[in-house]
Amino acid sequence: MSDKILVTSPLLPKLDEFYDLLKQVWDSKWITNNGSFHQQLEKELAAYLKVPYVSLFTNGTLPLITALQALHISGEVITTPYSFVATTHALWWNGIKPVFVDIDPATGNIDPDRIEEAITSRTTAIMPVHVYGKPCDTKRIQEIADKYGLRVIYDAAHAFGVEVNGESILNAGDMSTLSFHATKVYNTIEGGAMVMHDEQTKKRIDYLKNFGFAGETTVVGPGINSKVDEVRAAYGLLNLKQVDAAIEARHQVAIAYREALRPVKGIMFFDDMPGVKHNYSYFPIFVDAEEYGMTRDELYFKMKERNVLGRRYFYPLISTFSTYKGLESSRPDNLPNAHKMADTVICLPMHHELSSNDIQRIINVILDNNG
Ligand SMILES: *Cc1c(COP(=O)(O)O)cnc(C)c1O
């Protein structure tokens, strides 16, 4: 039996370089609370991502929760069911009612044409997701938000480094949040960040992620603890140096997949969008059972048998989980495109270490059934 091909593999710093930085942390004995590596990583990330301000968080969920707190969002927030559960959980943890809007099948992102009909007198914000790192229609979404006086918080967990016409997608909306979890394009093992536009907001967020402390004895609000330690900041600095090479390796995988799968009947995938710098964080394929001759689940389990581990990502839809399924907006007939995507998707293995042998094995499993 051939080796397992995993869906992802974490980008890891070189151990000897990491050791050198760890030695500095040990020598300084300053191991957390806005240490020098922490400060350096915030600066380097802001420069790399082409954004004005970055605040590091200990994961990608807490900046979502904190952004909603910081902007005093309440009532109802319009969001997408086609995401990782953390997006909607962040609303629930703030006592906010999620209102699901269907997605655009061409991108997997929230359909701007469906947002206005979901707005009520209780709506205070829109929380879209750049799914698979594909940019939302940020211009349309902002126009709607401005028209109704709504805030926009982007869950940009997949959108590290993504640019549209040379500008970072992270500059859209009021704030954007990132995840640096081990499974993401850029990781600090566990980690995340918030991107904001002005120094005032950066300051306030830095208070809020540190219990609300604005000085030794001043607490300006009910903050949380979401600080990042020096060990993970050092790890993050080293990974930042190699993330471009990792993204380019992923790009080559995407090229190979597209070339091999384009002639396959019943297998759909996304192409690059014009003017967009992608990060190739995921490679979702969509199975048309009738044309392909096998259902998504049949293909998924066949891959598994052959030790090729894909992921049905995002299945099931968030709106079907017990917490959310009773909501009015969770009715399947409100979300036909999202259901269809969730029922047909498989994310193929995608990471910087896939060999051409691996890629061929993955493609062979899919071709096996076709033509
Ligand atoms: C990974 C992810 C998160 C959560 O990030 P963590 O770092 O795991 O807390 C939030 N939203 C989306 C869309 C994600 O993919």
Side-chain angles (χ1 to χ4, degrees):
M1 192 75 179
S2 39
D3 292 345
K4 269 200 170 89
I5 302 178
L6 301 178
V7 70
T8 189
S9 172
L11 182 63
L12 286 161
K14 292 190 181 62
L15 205 47
D16 55 335
E17 288 181 29
F18 189 40
Y19 177 78
D20 289 342
L21 297 193
L22 286 183
K23 179 83 171 58
Q24 292 178 44
V25 175
W26 260 241
D27 288 346
S28 76
K29 297 189 197 285
W30 188 346
I31 60 176
T32 189
N33 286 10
N34 201 25
S36 61
F37 285 146
H38 181 286
Q39 292 175 32
Q40 191 184 339
L41 183 56
E42 284 192 344
K43 287 208 182 80
E44 288 193 17
L45 276 171
Y48 177 87
L49 296 170
K50 301 188 191 168
V51 300
Y53 298 98
V54 169
S55 181
L56 292 179
F57 276 73
T58 198
N59 58 49
T61 303
L62 280 161
L64 284 168
I65 291 174
T66 308
L68 293 162
Q69 280 282 316
L71 297 174
H72 301 296
I73 303 300
S74 64
E76 296 177 1
V77 169
I78 289 171
T79 189
T80 170
Y82 195 75
S83 179
F84 182 61
V85 280
T87 312
T88 315
H89 284 349
L91 297 170
W92 205 260
W93 271 61
N94 277 281
I96 295 163
K97 181 177 165 188
V99 175
F100 295 116
V101 159
D102 204 10
I103 57 170
D104 176 352
T107 62
N109 291 327
I110 194 166
D111 183 349
D113 288 337
R114 300 286 308 278
I115 291 176
E116 284 197 72
E117 69 197 39
I119 295 173
T120 73
S121 58
R122 294 174 298 281
T123 309
T124 54
I126 307 169
M127 189 180 264
V129 181
H130 305 292
V131 178
Y132 307 128
K134 292 174 73 66
C136 289
D137 189 343
T138 55
K139 193 160 163 270
R140 283 285 308 286
I141 291 170
Q142 195 60 51
E143 279 164 11
I144 297 165
D146 290 345
K147 183 169 163 193
Y148 292 90
L150 307 176
R151 300 288 200 156
V152 185
I153 299 165
Y154 281 98
D155 181 343
H158 300 175
F160 184 88
V162 172
E163 296 175 13
V164 179
N165 300 324
E167 183 176 352
S168 172
I169 193 73
L170 303 171
N171 284 326
D174 291 283
M175 290 160 182
S176 291
T177 65
L178 292 161
S179 167
F180 303 154
H181 183 256
T183 54
K184 308 296 209 261
V185 168
Y186 168 81
N187 84 88
T188 60
I189 308 177
E190 293 274 352
M194 192 191 298
V195 170
M196 62 286 283
H197 311 313
D198 60 274
E199 198 179 351
Q200 205 81 1
T201 308
K202 154 84 171 144
K203 243 187 201 155
R204 204 170 124 62
I205 294 301
D206 285 348
Y207 299 154
L208 286 179
K209 76 172 187 203
N210 183 27
F211 309 101
F213 276 108
E216 217 177 294
T217 54
T218 318
V219 171
V220 294
I224 191 96
N225 179 4
S226 190
K227 289 173 282 137
V228 173
D229 56 82
E230 287 295 276
V231 173
R232 283 185 294 151
Y235 178 106
L237 283 168
L238 294 176
N239 260 359
L240 195 54
K241 292 196 290 183
Q242 41 174 15
V243 71
D244 278 334
I247 289 172
E248 183 45 34
R250 286 165 173 272
H251 185 186
Q252 293 308 317
V253 176
I255 290 172
Y257 277 152
R258 283 173 184 156
E259 192 178 298
L261 296 178
R262 204 173 295 281
V264 181
K265 284 196 214 86
I267 297 289
M268 276 78 67
F269 51 83
F270 294 125
D271 277 302
D272 284 358
M273 293 161 76
V276 174
K277 183 179 165 201
H278 291 279
N279 65 9
Y280 307 97
S281 46
Y282 301 90
F283 196 90
I285 60 166
F286 304 97
V287 183
D288 179 330
E290 213 159 286
E291 276 203 38
Y292 180 65
M294 197 180 244
T295 66
R296 184 274 306 271
D297 283 347
E298 284 168 345
L299 175 58
Y300 172 75
F301 288 111
K302 183 172 120 185
M303 286 166 59
K304 212 169 193 176
E305 254 167 45
R306 303 256 202 109
N307 263 339
V308 173
L309 303 184
R311 270 199 70 182
R312 288 169 293 177
Y313 197 62
F314 295 102
Y315 166 86
L317 283 185
I318 301 175
S319 52
T320 67
F321 291 130
S322 60
T323 316
Y324 306 112
K325 71 176 181 210
L327 295 170
E328 174 70 9
S329 62
S330 294
R331 285 186 348 263
D333 65 345
N334 184 45
L335 308 166
N337 296 331
H339 274 278
K340 184 169 180 210
M341 201 168 265
D343 290 342
T344 56
V345 68
I346 301 177
C347 283
L348 298 185
M350 174 50 92
H351 59 80
H352 61 292
E353 288 173 331
L354 281 176
S355 67
S356 38
N357 260 348
D358 294 336
I359 297 170
Q360 201 48 55
R361 258 181 66 198
I362 297 160
I363 289 167
N364 285 345
V365 183
I366 300 170
L367 290 180
D368 231 21
N369 198 51
N370 206 262

